[in-house]
Amino acid sequence: MAKKKKKQEDLPEGMSRRQAKLAARAKERAALEKDPRPYSGLAAEASLVAMQEFVPSAVAKLDVQGCDRNVYVSTVLPGATAALIREEEFGGDAFVALQVQSHTHNPGRDLAFALNWVKNNEPGSTLESTAADGSQPELSELVDAAATLDIEVHQDFSWWIPEGAQVSPEISQSMRAANDSVIESHQVGNDITGTAFWANAGGGKAHVRWVRPTGDEAAFLNALARVAARGELNLGEDTKFAGVFRTHGLIAPVFDVQPEVDYSSYEDKLAGVDKALEEEISNDAQLNAEERKQLENIKSRQVTLR
């Protein structure tokens, strides 16, 4: 009996079947690896992290290389979808969400996937899942690394609906539910490293969450401890340092503040704390006893979001 011929395979040029399988497995492993700092290298890193983790309703224009339409990165879109392109009659603008229902553990790759989708689809299209599948280019190929975001914060989701558009019952219901969940938020601190947002959590509580990129994590924690030991790690009277979040490779200090005090009143004090931390980051002297105590206190109260 004649031997059956093996099925013809489309192998990469110059590769054996075994080499092709090993390469495919390596690609799969790389796709599963988590980027420790997904937006690293971007001037907009802190803004992207804040919009993804802390801000309820906001948009910011994002220039996408090779894309001839206006693109906006946003917090949430109707139905927690990944991206949409408005019909031409409503301007044809595109919106890409950071807070989505379907995603991977690599938000930088997911964002690149959604931005690439926006470049290659037509007005009226909707992207349900932002989960990157490996077909997307590097984020650095789509976004200028030096570009910053001018974030427009909203207190509801009326920006979902372009002027003159008919609203379906589903979208109307989704918007009402989303509006009910919005916590009043405002950006604070124009002259600081990173970005900070004030939020009124209700129940007599308000917070300032500050996403502050830093190169040396240990040096930054030591700086926090030194400033805390001097009694200067606060935003003024009746405020206190509450701890730090760890998210997307960054450390975000959090302060408890008074909700009845106008958020803009914390601008100067936040800038002062920023300056004090920057001065201490380069201090490589050993911590004294009180500073070590503060460092342990900070480490014991840190919360990792993702």
Side-chain angles (χ1 to χ4, degrees):
M1 184 185 297
K3 292 183 179 179
K4 291 183 180 180
K5 291 184 178 180
K6 290 186 177 179
K7 186 179 178 180
Q8 293 292 326
E9 296 182 46
D10 293 327
L11 298 175
E13 187 176 352
M15 278 193 182
S16 67
R17 186 180 296 105
R18 181 175 182 277
Q19 289 172 326
K21 285 183 178 180
L22 291 174
R25 288 172 185 168
K27 185 177 180 180
E28 290 174 0
R29 286 195 298 270
L32 293 173
E33 290 176 356
K34 185 174 181 179
D35 296 331
R37 194 167 165 178
Y39 303 117
S40 178
L42 299 181
E45 178 182 24
S47 296
L48 291 169
V49 170
M51 289 180 69
Q52 187 157 8
E53 298 300 334
F54 301 140
V55 188
S57 178
V59 296
K61 193 171 187 299
L62 184 66
D63 291 330
V64 179
Q65 297 180 27
C67 187
D68 58 1
R69 59 168 54 97
N70 292 328
V71 179
Y72 296 86
V73 65
S74 63
T75 51
V76 184
L77 290 173
T81 55
L84 60 85
I85 306 173
R86 286 178 174 171
E87 298 283 2
E88 287 286 9
E89 63 180 304
F90 301 119
D93 293 344
F95 292 80
V96 173
L98 292 169
Q99 301 174 26
V100 296
Q101 192 169 41
S102 179
H103 56 83
T104 72
H105 55 250
N106 284 309
R109 301 183 205 181
D110 290 349
L111 178 57
F113 179 84
L115 293 176
N116 195 51
W117 177 89
V118 161
K119 285 181 59 176
N120 296 291
N121 280 271
E122 299 300 319
S125 302
T126 299
L127 176 66
E128 295 298 334
S129 172
T130 191
D133 62 4
S135 65
Q136 74 284 346
E138 294 293 327
L139 186 56
S140 59
E141 297 176 26
L142 296 168
V143 179
D144 180 2
T148 57
L149 294 183
D150 183 9
I151 301 175
E152 184 179 355
V153 181
H154 297 267
Q155 306 309 324
D156 59 27
F157 288 94
S158 59
W159 56 269
W160 278 357
I161 312 301
E163 187 176 352
Q166 295 292 323
V167 183
S168 69
E170 293 79 11
I171 294 296
S172 181
Q173 182 180 3
S174 178
M175 188 164 69
R176 285 197 300 271
N179 286 344
D180 290 341
S181 69
V182 170
I183 295 173
E184 182 186 358
S185 301
H186 300 276
Q187 191 169 11
V188 294
N190 293 320
D191 299 316
I192 59 172
T193 305
T195 187
F197 285 85
W198 175 96
N200 186 348
K205 295 182 179 180
H207 313 286
V208 171
R209 298 182 176 100
W210 179 14
V211 183
R212 192 185 190 285
T214 184
D216 188 329
E217 181 179 297
F220 182 56
L221 289 174
N222 285 348
L224 285 171
R226 288 191 172 97
V227 176
R230 299 201 301 262
E232 298 175 4
L233 193 58
N234 61 72
L235 299 184
E237 187 177 357
D238 294 326
T239 72
K240 68 176 182 178
F241 172 70
V244 297
F245 284 116
R246 288 177 173 273
T247 181
H248 302 305
L250 301 181
I251 295 176
V254 181
F255 300 89
D256 290 339
V257 298
Q258 298 302 311
E260 63 273 12
V261 177
D262 188 87
Y263 65 89
S264 63
S265 66
Y266 298 113
E267 298 268 355
D268 291 343
K269 189 63 177 178
L270 194 59
V273 174
D274 185 42
K275 182 180 179 181
L277 289 173
E278 193 61 38
E279 291 172 350
E280 291 294 353
I281 285 174
S282 58
N283 184 352
D284 58 2
Q286 293 291 320
L287 299 179
N288 62 35
E290 179 57 27
E291 290 167 347
R292 287 196 300 272
K293 178 181 176 181
Q294 292 294 337
L295 179 61
E296 291 306 313
N297 184 42
I298 291 169
K299 287 181 176 181
S300 69
R301 291 189 292 162
Q302 60 188 348
V303 176
T304 300
L305 296 183
R306 65 175 77 190

